[in-house]
Amino acid sequence: MSKLSWFGVMMSFVMMLGGVARAEDHYLPSAQEWQTVIHAQIEAFRNHDAPTALSYASEEFHKQFTDPNAFFVAIISSGYSPIMESLSESFGSFELQGENEVLQEVRLTGTDQNVYEAIYELTRETAGWRVHGVQLIKTKAIGI
């Protein structure tokens, strides 16, 4: 192999490695990271632990609610008591909205065996993944 073609092969290899290194530098979050936060906040709601529930909320909620009990009352009065009264939750699909935002489907079964579908919106902040919002609907399904 001539020196020129050897140089070309080496340069191709170096360029290929450079591309791999750049791909590895790109952060891809794990679903377990935000699902742990969702589960912990749901557990805090179930236990009526307002300070812990608020601790998993995004900075926007912390700006709005300096009193965890006010946060808790606002959540209940906004129609989210099925989350607090749920017996179980399971995670469905998720959609990354960039490196710092995700939408996660959660299925909740209530004490009355009604099933609720929730879409959790989470943002990655300095403190980690935090719940930024939830859309909740009652389905026609019955949990087992």
Side-chain angles (χ1 to χ4, degrees), residues 55-72:
S55 75
Y56 291 108
S58 70
E59 291 175 10
E60 289 298 316
F61 284 98
H62 289 273
K63 290 176 186 174
Q64 188 176 358
F65 297 100
T66 55
D67 176 15
N69 291 320
F71 168 72
F72 201 79

Side-chain angles (χ1 to χ4, degrees), residues 28-99:
L28 292 175
S30 162
Q32 186 174 3
E33 294 175 38
W34 61 78
Q35 289 174 356
T36 298
V37 169
I38 294 169
H39 175 75
Q41 188 181 55
I42 291 172
E43 281 297 311
F45 279 133
R46 287 177 182 151
N47 294 324
H48 297 170
D49 182 352
T52 300
L54 180 58
S55 75
Y56 291 108
S58 70
E59 291 175 10
E60 289 298 316
F61 284 98
H62 289 273
K63 290 176 186 174
Q64 188 176 358
F65 297 100
T66 55
D67 176 15
N69 291 320
F71 168 72
F72 201 79
V73 169
I75 296 301
I76 292 171
S77 64
S78 297
Y80 292 97
S81 59
I83 294 172
M84 296 169 196
E85 298 165 1
S86 65
L87 298 174
S88 66
E89 81 272 355
S90 60
F91 295 100
S93 62
F94 65 86
E95 184 178 320
L96 287 170
Q97 303 287 299
E99 290 182 15

Side-chain angles (χ1 to χ4, degrees), residues 11-26:
M11 285 305 293
S12 296
F13 183 72
V14 168
M15 290 174 69
M16 183 178 69
L17 285 179
V20 170
R22 282 190 295 275
E24 289 175 358
D25 290 343
H26 184 70

